[in-house]
């Protein structure tokens, strides 16, 4: 373990209109180590790393590489100086192939300046293989990939740069457990090679799995830097939030009412014969591994994916849903797991994003919503979920990742649905804000909504659901009550059809 940092950021300050994102922040990064960079949503983690990787310029402060002042002009310059970053928001060009994305702007060319595709694809395949994705074709279009696969391509791209400093901003956000384990393996190898890594994550267990030290930011200021061995989840939360968090999964007093929502025999190319019902004031959890069909069930109900068979019933009446707008009109709302592609329009304001779905429903009745009312509505959600923004008119693209997620939830609730499907609602959300979202779920429950909660975080499904169904290979593998739910029971069900088909 070396004592002089490979890279040091000193007294960095950065202001955006109306926000001081970073105030005198310092960070040290060491060779052969992983430095966790922690803090609540909007604490300034991504901004600090965007400065290091040349995306933003700092207002003041210094950067040193092995004690020599380092000036990073732009992303290309950062790359040339051995700094690679895997951004929190995916940065790939969907129309290009996997290999073209990995080598974008650095394509190997022959003496005539023609791209050497064979070489580019062979090299790409090597990095994909390292990440356990040997089956992904380097010549496939990125637009055909799932979010998790696109994330892997981003990681492969950073690896291919052979950088000295590698920054990972919530890299496992949409990875499966197996993919995460593969990434850990790669990180361990990079450490062995003496690389210095920065790892940003809201999954605190990852800090203990893979990181050596942790730097904590709060509200754009430096709080502390400590070896991970001296930290516990509780002490990290205390440093991040400034106070201990007593109750991670608040209990609701709400009682479940009568059955309001039912699906029966839902079938298409991804799911088979999925049936379940949800009562008023009930939270039905859907657990399962990534790729088990959970989101496909949600999309099929919401009219974003076609069904070949099956019925959807609300309040005893069978309904036909051909498009998300008809789902919304019938009282069903869906907060997508992928806030970037399906959820938000990044270039629009917080207000426009939150009120957009409601406008659509109201337009049908020639109703008119005043701008005042729109602002009031968006302010309600901003306050309710403590969305960190300069106000309703701020563009969503300028919010931190976790705060974008909260806007997506507001958007899902504004249509006053009877049934709401929350797909990974706390992805990228910090521990304190998670609790705010859970409080909100409980409030919705007490107001009699039927809630479907899809989550990869086992403690979250177990802590918040009244009942849990577990999916495996596109089918419902079983159901457990809140009282009976254990991690083992859920995992066994989640693996059920997989082991059967493997035999
Ligand atoms: N381009 C920008 N324009 C205006 N404000 C910005 C911009 N980028 C970031 N901010 C603001 O700076 C603050 C810090 O944001 P940052 O993205 O660094 O947070 P973060 O710690 O990465 O949070 P998260 O965990 O939610 O990703 C936030 O208030 C954010 O809204
Ligand atoms: Mg961020």
């Amino acid at each position: 373990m070396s004592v002089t940092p490979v890279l040091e950021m000193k007294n960095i300050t950065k202001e955006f209109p109306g926000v001081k994102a970073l105030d005198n922040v310092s960070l040290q990064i060491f060779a052969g180590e992983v430095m966790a960079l922690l803090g609540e949503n909007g604490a300034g983690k991504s901004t600090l790393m965007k400065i290091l990787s040349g995306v933003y310029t700092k207002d003041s402060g210094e950067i040193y590489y092995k004690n020599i002042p380092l000036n990073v002009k732009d992303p290309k310059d950062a790359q040339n100086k051995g700094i690679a970053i895997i951004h929190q928001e995916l940065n790939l060009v969907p129309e290009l192939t996997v290999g073209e994305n990995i080598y974008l702007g650095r394509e190997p060319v022959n003496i005539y300046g023609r791209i050497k595709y064979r070489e580019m694809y062979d090299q790409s395949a090597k990095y994909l293989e390292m990440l356990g994705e040997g089956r992904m074709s380097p010549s496939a279009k990125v637009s055909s990939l799932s979010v998790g696969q696109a994330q892997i391509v981003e990681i492969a791209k950073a690896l291919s740069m052979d950088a000295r400093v590698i920054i990972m901003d919530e890299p496992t956000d949409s990875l499966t457990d197996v993919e995460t384990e593969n990434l850990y393996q790669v990180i361990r190898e990079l450490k062995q090679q003496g690389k210095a890594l920065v790892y940003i994550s809201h999954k605190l267990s990852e800090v203990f799995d893979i990181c050596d030290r942790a730097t904590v930011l709060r509200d754009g200021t430096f709080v502390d830097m400590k070896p991970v061995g001296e930290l516990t989840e509780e002490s990290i939360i205390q440093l991040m939030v400034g106070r201990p968090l007593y109750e991670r999964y608040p209990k609701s007093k709400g009682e479940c009412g009568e059955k309001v929502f039912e699906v029966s025999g839902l079938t298409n190319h991804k799911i088979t014969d999925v049936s379940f019902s949800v009562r008023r004031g009930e939270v039905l959890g859907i657990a399962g591994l990534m790729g088990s069909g959970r989101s496909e069930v949600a999309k099929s109900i919401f009219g974003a994916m076609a069904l070949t068979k099956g019925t959807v019933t609300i309040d005893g009446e069978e309904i036909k849903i051909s498009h998300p707008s008809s789902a919304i009109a019938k009282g069903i709302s869906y907060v997508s797991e992928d806030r970037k592609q399906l959820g938000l329009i990044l270039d629009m304001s917080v207000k426009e994003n939150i009120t957009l779905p409601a406008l659509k429903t109201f337009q049908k009745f020639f109703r008119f919503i005043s701008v005042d009312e729109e602002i009031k509505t968006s302010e309600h959600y901003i306050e309710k979920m403590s969305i960190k923004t300069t106000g309703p008119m701020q563009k969503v693209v300028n919010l931190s990742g976790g705060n974008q997620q909260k806007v997506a939830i507001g958007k899902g609730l504004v249509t006053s649905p009877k049934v709401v499907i929350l797909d990974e609602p706390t992805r990228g959300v910090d521990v304190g804000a998670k609790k705010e979202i859970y409080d909100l779920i409980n409030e919705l429950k007490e107001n009699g909504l039927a809630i479907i909660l899809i989550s990869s975080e086992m403690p979250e499904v177990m802590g918040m659901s009244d009942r849990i169904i577990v999916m495996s290979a596109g089918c419902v593998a079983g159901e457990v009550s809140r009282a009976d739910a254990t991690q083992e029971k859920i995992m066994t069900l989640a693996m059920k059809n997989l082991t059967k088909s493997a035999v």
Side-chain angles (χ1 to χ4, degrees), residues 110-282:
N110 64 16
I111 47 167
Y112 307 109
R114 299 257 290 268
I115 297 177
K116 294 194 273 185
Y117 274 98
R118 166 64 73 72
E119 185 181 322
M120 191 166 87
Y121 285 156
D122 284 352
Q123 284 298 320
S124 302
K126 190 184 86 187
Y127 291 108
L128 294 171
E129 179 80 52
M130 259 171 89
L131 290 161
E133 290 287 326
R135 277 183 307 176
M136 193 195 299
S137 164
S139 58
K141 283 247 167 72
V142 161
S143 55
S144 70
L145 304 180
S146 70
V147 202
Q149 289 172 317
Q151 183 94 52
I152 301 270
V153 175
E154 280 275 359
I155 298 171
K157 182 172 178 169
L159 295 181
S160 73
M161 288 173 192
D162 196 26
R164 288 174 289 203
V165 176
I166 303 165
I167 306 159
M168 303 189 172
D169 197 346
E170 302 192 34
T172 60
D173 213 29
S174 33
L175 298 191
T176 63
D177 290 348
V178 176
E179 287 165 338
T180 301
E181 200 37 65
N182 285 331
L183 177 65
Y184 284 178
Q185 198 51 45
V186 172
I187 291 177
R188 286 184 197 112
E189 270 167 43
L190 293 170
K191 273 170 62 168
Q192 287 272 308
Q193 294 166 16
K195 313 269 188 199
L197 291 98
V198 180
Y199 195 92
I200 302 180
S201 180
H202 288 293
K203 300 177 189 164
L204 296 186
S205 59
E206 298 194 333
V207 177
F208 298 96
D209 286 343
I210 204 73
C211 301
D212 301 287
R213 304 184 202 224
T215 296
V216 182
L217 306 184
R218 194 192 311 147
D219 273 336
T221 61
F222 172 87
V223 177
D224 210 345
M225 190 260 274
K226 273 189 155 42
V228 168
E230 293 176 18
L231 292 166
T232 60
E233 284 211 11
E234 284 68 36
S235 63
I236 292 178
I237 294 171
Q238 169 84 45
L239 290 171
M240 277 173 55
V241 188
R243 60 183 160 78
L245 201 67
Y246 293 111
E247 209 189 7
R248 297 275 282 272
Y249 302 100
K251 294 272 177 295
S252 156
K253 303 175 291 294
E255 291 287 315
C256 302
E258 70 283 8
K259 191 166 36 174
V260 52
F261 184 69
E262 188 164 22
V263 299
S264 173
L266 300 185
T267 303
N268 60 25
H269 62 296
K270 295 279 189 176
I271 53 176
T272 314
D273 202 18
V274 171
S275 305
F276 59 82
S277 64
V278 196
R279 299 193 289 162
R280 232 178 265 288
E282 183 178 41

Side-chain angles (χ1 to χ4, degrees), residues 16 19 21 41-47 56 88 202 398-402:
F16 294 111
V19 215
N41 296 131
K45 305 176 296 293
S46 296
T47 304
Y56 292 152
Q88 182 174 13
H202 288 293
N398 290 336
L399 297 188
S400 79

Side-chain angles (χ1 to χ4, degrees), residues 283-483:
V283 179
L284 174 76
I286 305 188
L289 301 175
M290 247 183 240
S292 61
R294 297 168 309 176
S295 298
E296 285 72 14
V297 169
K299 285 179 193 155
S300 306
I301 294 172
F302 194 58
M305 189 178 234
L307 281 169
T308 45
K309 243 170 59 193
T311 57
V312 177
T313 312
I314 282 194
D315 282 332
E317 186 194 335
E318 190 182 323
I319 53 170
K320 285 270 166 280
I321 296 165
S322 51
H323 188 266
S325 59
S326 53
I328 291 173
K330 302 276 188 210
I332 302 174
S333 171
Y334 173 48
V335 179
S336 160
E337 63 170 334
D338 180 8
R339 61 176 179 261
K340 295 151 211 163
Q341 276 177 22
L342 294 174
L344 297 170
I345 302 171
L346 293 182
D347 224 28
M348 285 192 179
S349 68
V350 172
K351 180 205 83 171
E352 286 168 311
N353 267 284
I354 290 182
T355 56
L356 195 69
L359 287 180
K360 278 192 186 150
T361 18
F362 286 130
Q363 262 168 6
K364 249 182 43 191
F365 308 105
F366 301 101
R367 285 260 300 269
F368 174 74
I369 301 187
S370 73
V371 175
D372 278 358
E373 223 173 289
E374 277 182 332
I375 290 184
K376 232 170 63 200
T377 307
S378 38
E379 277 172 346
H380 168 77
Y381 287 105
I382 289 172
E383 194 187 330
K384 188 118 226 141
M385 288 182 281
S386 323
I387 300 176
K388 192 174 176 203
T389 166
T390 51
M393 305 313 281
Q394 188 174 23
K395 276 191 183 176
V396 164
V397 70
N398 290 336
L399 297 188
S400 79
N403 284 295
Q404 291 182 4
Q405 179 63 34
K406 296 184 200 172
V407 173
I409 293 177
K411 184 174 178 178
L413 297 178
V414 74
T415 52
S416 311
K418 290 180 189 164
V419 182
V420 60
I421 310 173
L422 302 171
D423 197 350
E424 306 285 1
T426 64
R427 174 174 286 173
V429 169
D430 70 58
V431 274
K434 271 184 185 166
K435 165 122 187 322
E436 285 164 22
I437 292 178
Y438 300 147
D439 284 334
L440 182 71
I441 291 177
N442 282 339
E443 191 184 313
L444 298 173
K445 181 176 153 64
E446 278 150 33
N447 289 339
L449 254 78
I451 300 154
I452 299 170
L453 172 67
I454 302 175
S455 174
S456 303
E457 280 192 50
M458 205 86 85
E460 175 170 294
V461 205
M462 294 187 350
M464 293 308 297
S465 313
D466 296 296
R467 207 155 44 88
I468 300 162
I469 59 171
V470 187
M471 291 203 56
S472 173
C475 306
V476 176
E479 182 181 320
V480 282
S481 69
R482 182 180 191 145

